[in-house]
Amino acid sequence: GQNIDQPTEMTATEGAIVQINCTYQTSGFNGLFWYQQHAGEAPTFLSYNVLDGLEEKGRFSSFLSRSKGYSYLLLKELQMKDSASYLCAVLNTGGFKTIFGAGTRLFVKA
Amino acid sequence: GAVVSQHPSWVICKSGTSVKIECRSLDFQATTMFWYRQFPKQSLMLMATSNEGSKATYEQGVEKDKFLINHASLTLSTLTVTSAHPEDSSFYICSARPGQGAGVSYNEQFFGPGTRLTVL
């Protein structure tokens, strides 16, 4: 089967750091995406990891461990505008389909 | 670059009518397009994968006769919700994956802005 797990909701304070975890079990693996989605809008691309390790891009970093089926998205220097849903998604092999997790709703408070 | 548009952005219709949603890749050729549905506070659920010039591949549980998909060109895919009912009210999002050599990551997909369908 295919399963992607991430916390439903998280709350953090403006200026702080937050880590959103994602574990996955999928039929084949061809990379993992993180997307940001504001309410009523389409997802926007944040990161793509296909090799183990940490990828840093400004305030956002993404980590992948393929052997553990685990990834996290790290958001630094949180801003109010970072309040959104963060979707973990796995690209499988074969059909090249992207399977999405349920998303983590992040609330940033002042 | 890599912009995907959807039309309309929102639509309200009466129960029993059909609604067509267009998805266009504006500055690249998309060999594959995907259609997703998203209910409030839920994640994106893949409905079907659409390849140019061939029949769409539907996910389990998605009625192909109700959700008609046509991918007539490398820049356009359409989703028609036939005989829509209130339970079909949802946010429909398309995404497009460029062909090889398009200058972007082959594995990346680009999302349209979504279409909010409300069936009365």
Side-chain angles (χ1 to χ4, degrees):
Chain A
Q2 307 198 93
N3 197 40
I4 299 176
D5 287 319
Q6 50 182 133
T8 305
E9 289 185 1
M10 298 182 72
T11 300
T13 305
E14 192 176 17
I17 299 173
V18 70
Q19 177 174 311
I20 303 174
N21 296 322
C22 171
T23 58
Y24 63 89
Q25 290 177 308
T26 56
S27 56
F29 179 84
N30 202 26
L32 186 143
F33 294 92
W34 283 97
Y35 289 90
Q36 180 191 62
Q37 185 179 28
H38 286 97
E41 299 179 10
T44 54
F45 171 82
L46 291 178
S47 66
Y48 171 63
N49 293 64
V50 65
L51 299 175
D52 289 351
L54 184 69
E55 297 270 348
E56 297 186 74
K57 190 186 295 184
R59 293 191 300 116
F60 292 12
S61 303
S62 56
F63 171 84
L64 175 67
S65 169
R66 289 171 297 171
S67 63
K68 296 181 179 178
Y70 168 69
S71 172
Y72 68 73
L73 179 69
L74 193 70
L75 294 79
K76 303 176 185 176
E77 301 170 17
L78 280 173
Q79 302 175 10
M80 300 298 287
K81 67 178 182 180
D82 297 329
S83 294
S85 286
Y86 291 85
L87 309 177
C88 173
V90 173
L91 181 65
N92 71 354
T93 51
F96 276 131
K97 292 192 300 188
T98 304
I99 309 299
F100 284 82
T104 299
R105 271 174 287 150
L106 175 65
F107 300 94
V108 179
K109 59 182 182 180
Chain B
V3 177
V4 176
S5 70
Q6 266 184 256
H7 178 80
S9 55
W10 59 270
V11 58
I12 301 172
C13 68
K14 293 182 179 179
S15 185
T17 60
S18 294
V19 175
K20 180 187 281 189
I21 303 170
E22 292 186 350
C23 177
R24 292 181 186 272
S25 57
L26 298 185
D27 48 5
F28 65 96
Q29 292 185 330
T31 54
T32 306
M33 287 185 171
F34 303 90
W35 286 97
Y36 295 87
R37 179 168 53 181
Q38 186 176 34
F39 292 106
K41 297 186 179 181
Q42 295 186 24
S43 191
L44 280 72
M45 297 300 297
L46 180 64
M47 299 176 67
T49 302
S50 168
N51 290 296
E52 186 266 339
S54 63
K55 291 184 179 180
T57 303
Y58 289 82
E59 294 301 300
Q60 194 171 14
V62 177
E63 299 175 59
K64 61 180 181 180
D65 294 331
K66 181 170 182 61
F67 298 99
L68 301 178
I69 291 172
N70 183 283
H71 193 157
S73 76
L74 286 172
T75 59
L76 173 64
S77 176
T78 61
L79 167 68
T80 301
V81 183
T82 61
S83 187
H85 287 89
E87 57 265 30
D88 299 322
S89 298
S90 187
F91 192 45
Y92 291 86
I93 306 174
C94 74
S95 71
R97 174 172 288 144
Q100 286 182 313
V104 294
S105 168
Y106 179 64
N107 288 332
E108 190 169 346
Q109 56 181 310
F110 301 92
F111 287 89
T115 297
R116 185 160 302 284
L117 170 64
T118 302
V119 185
L120 303 177

